[in-house]
Amino acid sequence: MSDKSGKKLALNASRDFIFSVCALLIYNGVLQLLIYPGLNDRMGAEAFGTVLYLISIVSVMGAGFGTAGSYSRMVAKKDRAQANGDYNLFLAVIALISIPVTLVSLLALKELKAAVFVQVLVLMIVTVLRYYADVEYRMNIRFADYFFFFLATSAGYCLGLFLYPYSSSWVLCLFLGEAFGIIYTIIRGKIFRPPFMELSQYYKENFRSAFIISASNLISALILNSDRIFLRVLVGAREVTVFYTASLIGKIVAMLTTPLNGIIISYFTNYKIKITRKIFAGIGAGLVLVSAVLALMCSAVSYIFVKIMYPDVFDEARAYFFLANLGQILFFLSGSLMVVVLSFTKEKLQLVINIVYVISFAAVVIPGTVLFGLAGMAYGLVIVNLIRLIVTVILGLRAL
């Protein structure tokens, strides 16, 4: 690559990163600073803890399957033909899988009602579609549209919160956001336009790829939302809100890695960028140091933010600020490293990394939470996310 081409590529990547960061800042800012505190104020910490549990189940499905379909299509573009029908078939299967997932999630709460079941199921399906929809912009490196896609989603959330006093439905609040994002993609893109079920000659490979990445993503998404899911089942609803607020700033800061992941996979697949073992090892070592520094900064901000936005749980949450934030940051940064690994290896390696991860989680976090409650969750997540980062570095170096 010539110096001129390299400078142009760096300039384009920087511009796209800015668009992506702005998009995610608006999206997460609306959710974390407006929607969730607004719902907490109206419901109280106990009821909001249960809502966070259900939101987490929906997010696991979206991040697990929707993002997997998106990443699979990005990888397929580099190596083989792909068509809308390949991934619409995959999404149709996921819609069917959403039925028992919704049923089990509500049964765990012992709150299975037909109206609630239908609402959560519909929200789950449209959330998967919205997570998948961003492939329209990343596959074609259209990050200005990516920005407006998330702006539309955020506007829908705001409308839903505005209507909450009349609807009393947290589901409608989130549904409008997901629907607005999908509608924008239908208008501006091609992935949700006919022919809907026309398959490429590689549809079997694409279908298999999407499920392989899904298996890995589901593990990651489950761990990311574990504080809300497992605390609700193993400890209680209020503890969900406490730990969520303790780790909130770390989540917001770490989510800036999401646009970075999108740019990494976009540019690595479109320009076939190479990486050396020395550079990869340096990135891995640097991420550990960055995680610790960011966790300290997030802890300081948490003292101010949680005191203002969630005063009813501040005294309980502050004991976990550093550990909770460190666990979140380690999770997201190790995820960025896995995206780099995905760009130069087969999808199965990512699955292997996350299998090691889930075994570590089952051995450390779950027993720790049962025995020590919030403290067990906090220490456990730091340990397993550090293990994930180290395993990613080791297997990435072997693959290179």
Side-chain angles (χ1 to χ4, degrees):
M1 184 182 293
S2 68
D3 290 342
K4 186 177 181 180
S5 298
K7 289 179 180 178
K8 183 179 180 181
L9 184 62
L11 181 63
N12 289 340
S14 298
R15 180 200 62 203
D16 291 338
F17 181 71
I18 291 171
F19 271 124
S20 297
V21 167
C22 290
L24 270 295
L25 279 175
I26 292 173
Y27 171 74
N28 286 301
V30 166
L31 276 180
Q32 310 296 351
L33 304 179
L34 183 63
I35 305 301
Y36 291 168
L39 291 175
N40 181 66
D41 286 343
R42 290 162 173 79
M43 296 178 172
E46 187 81 18
F48 184 59
T50 297
V51 169
L52 281 174
Y53 162 82
L54 291 171
I55 290 174
S56 296
I57 300 295
V58 170
S59 296
V60 166
M61 292 296 289
F65 290 112
T67 301
S70 176
Y71 276 16
S72 173
R73 193 160 187 175
M74 290 293 303
V75 173
K77 182 182 178 182
K78 180 179 66 173
D79 299 325
R80 56 187 179 266
Q82 35 77 33
N84 289 347
D86 300 356
Y87 294 93
N88 288 340
L89 177 62
F90 168 74
L91 293 169
V93 172
I94 303 311
L96 293 176
I97 292 174
S98 297
I99 296 173
V101 171
T102 303
L103 181 64
V104 172
S105 301
L106 292 174
L107 283 174
L109 294 178
K110 299 179 181 178
E111 294 184 11
L112 182 60
K113 299 177 182 177
V116 176
F117 173 81
V118 172
Q119 290 179 58
V120 175
L121 175 62
V122 171
L123 177 62
M124 188 176 291
I125 292 171
V126 297
T127 299
V128 171
L129 291 175
R130 200 270 301 163
Y131 269 84
Y132 166 72
D134 70 10
V135 73
E136 177 69 49
Y137 315 107
R138 293 191 294 111
M139 183 168 60
N140 301 304
I141 313 186
R142 292 166 50 201
F143 285 95
D145 267 323
Y146 185 78
F147 170 81
F148 288 108
F149 164 69
F150 277 104
L151 189 64
T153 302
S154 302
Y157 290 148
C158 291
L159 178 60
L161 185 63
F162 175 77
L163 294 175
Y164 183 85
Y166 310 100
S167 67
S168 298
S169 173
W170 65 269
V171 173
L172 178 65
C173 181
L174 298 182
F175 171 81
L176 288 177
E178 311 302 341
F180 275 35
I182 293 170
I183 291 169
Y184 181 83
T185 304
I186 292 172
I187 295 170
R188 292 289 297 163
K190 298 179 180 178
I191 62 170
F192 292 136
R193 292 187 181 181
F196 294 111
M197 298 309 293
E198 183 178 310
L199 304 175
S200 74
Q201 61 180 317
Y202 295 102
Y203 78 92
K204 290 183 179 179
E205 289 88 339
N206 293 335
F207 192 78
R208 182 168 59 249
S209 168
F211 270 103
I212 290 173
I213 297 177
S214 293
S216 177
N217 279 10
L218 279 171
I219 294 170
S220 298
L222 187 61
I223 303 298
L224 174 62
N225 291 279
S226 61
D227 54 335
R228 286 167 275 180
I229 295 173
F230 288 104
L231 281 174
R232 177 63 182 83
V233 175
L234 300 175
V235 185
R238 184 176 179 84
E239 285 77 8
V240 176
T241 304
V242 170
F243 196 82
Y244 168 76
T245 56
S247 62
L248 184 53
I249 298 301
K251 289 181 189 291
I252 294 173
V253 171
M255 281 178 183
L256 292 178
T257 63
T258 302
L260 180 61
N261 292 351
I263 289 172
I264 288 170
I265 196 76
S266 295
Y267 278 84
F268 271 70
T269 54
N270 279 280
Y271 294 99
K272 297 179 174 62
I273 297 171
K274 302 296 182 182
I275 190 170
T276 66
R277 297 182 72 186
K278 184 177 180 181
I279 291 173
F280 187 76
I283 292 171
L287 289 180
V288 176
L289 179 61
V290 169
S291 296
V293 173
L294 285 176
L296 285 171
M297 296 170 62
C298 290
S299 298
V301 175
S302 294
Y303 272 93
I304 301 171
F305 178 82
V306 176
K307 183 70 173 178
I308 295 172
M309 304 301 292
Y310 296 91
D312 54 333
V313 296
F314 173 78
D315 289 335
E316 299 162 84
R318 63 181 176 178
Y320 305 102
F321 282 160
F322 177 73
L323 288 173
N325 285 313
L326 179 59
Q328 295 302 317
I329 291 168
L330 280 171
F331 175 85
F332 276 94
L333 293 184
S334 61
S336 293
L337 201 61
M338 267 209 293
V339 172
V340 176
V341 171
L342 183 61
S343 70
F344 62 77
T345 64
K346 298 295 184 181
E347 295 93 331
K348 288 182 180 179
L349 185 61
Q350 189 183 33
L351 179 58
V352 170
I353 293 170
N354 278 321
I355 288 174
V356 174
Y357 188 31
V358 78
I359 292 172
S360 303
F361 183 90
V364 177
V365 179
I366 294 178
T369 303
V370 171
L371 293 173
F372 305 108
L374 287 173
M377 174 68 73
Y379 280 101
L381 286 176
V382 171
I383 293 169
V384 298
N385 285 317
L386 186 58
I387 290 172
R388 182 196 195 203
L389 193 150
I390 292 170
V391 170
T392 302
V393 170
I394 293 172
L395 294 184
L397 288 173
R398 289 186 61 185
L400 285 169

